[in-house]
Amino acid sequence: FLDAFDPLDPTGNITIKWDIVSWTADGYVAAVTMSNFQMYRSIMNPGWTLGWQWAKKEVIWSMVGAQTTEQGDCSKFKGNVPHCCKKNPIVVDLLPGVPYNQQFSNCCKAGVMSAWGQDPTGSVSAFQVSVGLAGTSNKTVKLPKNFNLLGPGLGYTCGPGKVVPSTVFLTPDRRRKTQALMTWNVTCTYSQYLASRNPSCCVSFSSFYNETITPCPTCACRCQNKNNCVMSDSKQAHRKGINTPRKDNAPLLQCTHHMCPIRVHWHVKLNYKDYWRVKIAITNFNYRMNYTQWTLVAQHPNLNSVTQVFSFDYKPLVPYESINDTGMFYGMKFYNDLLMEAGPQGNVQSEVLLGKNKDTFTFKQGWAFPRKVYFNGDECLLPPPDTYPFLPNSAKINSIAVSAMMLSLLMFILTL
């Protein structure tokens, strides 16, 4: 869990809550609710996969709002056959549009869960499970073990189930409270290192005061896909079916020097008397991935004075109340919350207007560029600090100013 700690989202986790709502002849019916409490990390297509190991010889008689990927060996049952007899069931969400009698509240979104900071209502997924051969009282029920969560790939580590105070429910008229017969929680935290040892995004910089563009570092995301990349101007880039995702989520990248699926470009655009302006562009170089409900997090001391964000939504992230230097950018719903795969449509961009604090504002020594950048919850690789666009030499500016002043003085004398 130590390497899963995120200083920009210290309390972020996915909590899985089991509420036993009724006892049956040989077990119980439980409502299982998964809540994504991460501020800026969502679970994208193809969605979450949840697994565990039964403590005894439990079976799943039926499920509503989700299903197991395998039934397993149910040959010992005659007549009524369980939904799943495996010791280690693996559960996935149902797809949108399933019949109403198979639906449960907050189900059937293909396993997609929004980040809590972006869309709290879309950050919950739930299903109902009827468990048999399980014990029929609080004392005889044994909690499942070895929970694991894929979201959709590796990265999550789940702790053991812990019995907690029973959940209280309000009836629809909100005048009566009922409570679960028994409740337990499982907490899962994310580690980028577990998900991948290589970065998944990189950052490049430019500014109005210097012609130099600081690119992403070479092989920023390692170059293991270098032999299987697509030139943007080749026929292969326009081949039919090139955008079909693979089951293993393997990327097909556009050939670049950085070989990253995502590049974030931060351009210092304009300088006004009381404000300064930044342009942010996100480019997708993966031909097989559409990023739905993407998020971009930046850490910069001047984000405490964001005046206007033009074509992204923006939310300050204040994990430590005294410091307001981190913010989350994300797409506007139905406008630019979908970052298309590599190609002409594979980028989104916005501009940010920031107020100046005369005591701290400077363009010197890379101050205008972010300290950290995260895309979809994964930290991006920044260029080395000594390559940042620097201010022109002040001596040159002074000599030009002096020459101009001398010339104007000479012209003034000649006109006398």
Side-chain angles (χ1 to χ4, degrees), residues 118-253:
Q118 186 177 9
D119 178 15
T121 56
S123 67
V124 180
S125 192
F127 59 88
Q128 183 177 284
V129 58
S130 177
V131 182
L133 310 181
T136 55
S137 74
N138 291 19
K139 290 181 180 176
T140 54
V141 166
K142 292 280 187 279
L143 274 57
K145 302 180 291 187
N146 301 334
F147 284 90
N148 61 80
L149 174 68
L150 298 178
L154 299 170
Y156 286 95
T157 304
C158 299
K162 292 182 180 177
V163 176
V164 295
S166 295
T167 305
V168 175
F169 305 102
L170 276 173
T171 54
D173 63 6
R174 307 188 69 82
R175 298 174 68 185
R176 170 177 158 76
K177 289 180 181 177
T178 59
Q179 71 179 57
L181 305 173
M182 184 180 182
T183 299
W184 62 82
N185 277 357
V186 178
T187 303
C188 304
T189 53
Y190 182 83
S191 163
Q192 184 175 347
Y193 184 77
L194 281 178
S196 172
R197 297 193 176 189
N198 302 328
S200 57
C201 51
C202 65
V203 185
S204 55
F205 295 139
S206 60
S207 67
F208 71 88
Y209 54 76
N210 192 315
E211 292 179 1
T212 308
I213 295 174
T214 302
C216 284
T218 301
C219 288
C221 300
R222 309 296 180 264
C223 283
Q224 67 263 41
N225 294 307
K226 194 77 174 176
N227 299 326
N228 186 31
C229 63
V230 176
M231 299 297 291
S232 59
D233 54 354
S234 67
K235 288 182 180 177
Q236 190 184 358
H238 307 286
R239 197 183 72 233
K240 193 175 180 183
I242 193 170
N243 303 123
T244 307
R246 290 255 302 265
K247 281 186 178 178
D248 61 356
N249 259 6
L252 179 62
L253 300 183

Side-chain angles (χ1 to χ4, degrees), residues 85-380:
C85 300
K86 286 183 72 71
K87 178 81 171 172
N88 298 77
I90 295 171
V91 174
V92 293
D93 195 9
L94 297 180
L95 299 175
V98 297
Y100 283 112
N101 64 346
Q102 296 176 33
Q103 292 185 23
F104 192 68
S105 60
N106 290 308
C107 84
C108 315
K109 296 180 283 190
V112 173
M113 294 169 72
S114 304
W116 174 260
Q118 186 177 9
D119 178 15
T121 56
S123 67
V124 180
S125 192
F127 59 88
Q128 183 177 284
V129 58
S130 177
V131 182
L133 310 181
T136 55
S137 74
N138 291 19
K139 290 181 180 176
T140 54
V141 166
K142 292 280 187 279
L143 274 57
K145 302 180 291 187
N146 301 334
F147 284 90
N148 61 80
L149 174 68
L150 298 178
L154 299 170
Y156 286 95
T157 304
C158 299
K162 292 182 180 177
V163 176
V164 295
S166 295
T167 305
V168 175
F169 305 102
L170 276 173
T171 54
D173 63 6
R174 307 188 69 82
R175 298 174 68 185
R176 170 177 158 76
K177 289 180 181 177
T178 59
Q179 71 179 57
L181 305 173
M182 184 180 182
T183 299
W184 62 82
N185 277 357
V186 178
T187 303
C188 304
T189 53
Y190 182 83
S191 163
Q192 184 175 347
Y193 184 77
L194 281 178
S196 172
R197 297 193 176 189
N198 302 328
S200 57
C201 51
C202 65
V203 185
S204 55
F205 295 139
S206 60
S207 67
F208 71 88
Y209 54 76
N210 192 315
E211 292 179 1
T212 308
I213 295 174
T214 302
C216 284
T218 301
C219 288
C221 300
R222 309 296 180 264
C223 283
Q224 67 263 41
N225 294 307
K226 194 77 174 176
N227 299 326
N228 186 31
C229 63
V230 176
M231 299 297 291
S232 59
D233 54 354
S234 67
K235 288 182 180 177
Q236 190 184 358
H238 307 286
R239 197 183 72 233
K240 193 175 180 183
I242 193 170
N243 303 123
T244 307
R246 290 255 302 265
K247 281 186 178 178
D248 61 356
N249 259 6
L252 179 62
L253 300 183
Q254 187 174 307
C255 298
T256 57
H257 73 279
H258 53 75
M259 290 306 292
C260 288
I262 292 289
R263 182 191 67 201
V264 179
H265 186 74
W266 179 284
H267 174 65
V268 180
K269 187 175 181 181
L270 287 166
N271 185 23
Y272 308 106
K273 183 186 175 192
D274 296 317
Y275 303 95
W276 61 296
R277 196 177 183 108
V278 169
K279 182 175 182 178
I280 300 171
I282 311 169
T283 307
N284 183 0
F285 293 102
N286 187 353
Y287 283 97
R288 290 195 183 127
M289 174 72 85
N290 283 335
Y291 290 91
T292 55
Q293 295 182 311
W294 56 266
T295 62
L296 178 75
V297 170
Q299 189 176 30
H300 187 285
N302 214 167
L303 287 178
N304 60 2
S305 300
V306 171
T307 306
Q308 192 172 357
V309 179
F310 289 89
S311 55
F312 292 164
D313 280 326
Y314 176 77
K315 178 178 287 185
L317 298 178
V318 193
Y320 313 101
E321 290 184 9
S322 58
I323 307 170
N324 178 14
D325 66 350
T326 308
M328 176 173 74
F329 301 88
Y330 52 102
M332 296 175 177
K333 216 161 192 172
F334 309 120
Y335 173 58
N336 59 356
D337 60 339
L338 174 66
L339 178 54
M340 299 289 281
E341 71 271 322
Q345 305 296 316
N347 74 87
V348 288
Q349 47 192 288
S350 178
E351 294 191 4
V352 186
L353 193 66
L354 301 124
K356 281 184 185 177
N357 178 341
K358 301 281 195 311
D359 298 328
T360 56
F361 180 83
T362 178
F363 282 132
K364 293 178 182 177
Q365 297 173 326
W367 185 91
F369 300 104
R371 312 295 181 263
K372 283 189 174 183
V373 174
Y374 292 70
F375 180 80
N376 275 9
D378 284 345
E379 188 171 350
C380 304

Side-chain angles (χ1 to χ4, degrees), residues 44-113:
M44 298 198 315
N45 266 326
W48 55 262
T49 302
L50 178 65
W52 62 84
Q53 180 182 341
W54 290 119
K56 299 192 285 186
K57 295 183 178 179
E58 292 92 336
V59 296
I60 298 175
W61 282 114
S62 63
M63 296 189 78
V64 182
Q67 62 186 3
T68 58
T69 56
E70 294 180 56
Q71 183 184 31
D73 180 9
C74 295
S75 56
K76 66 179 181 182
F77 291 89
K78 296 176 176 62
N80 195 8
V81 178
H83 175 81
C84 178
C85 300
K86 286 183 72 71
K87 178 81 171 172
N88 298 77
I90 295 171
V91 174
V92 293
D93 195 9
L94 297 180
L95 299 175
V98 297
Y100 283 112
N101 64 346
Q102 296 176 33
Q103 292 185 23
F104 192 68
S105 60
N106 290 308
C107 84
C108 315
K109 296 180 283 190
V112 173
M113 294 169 72

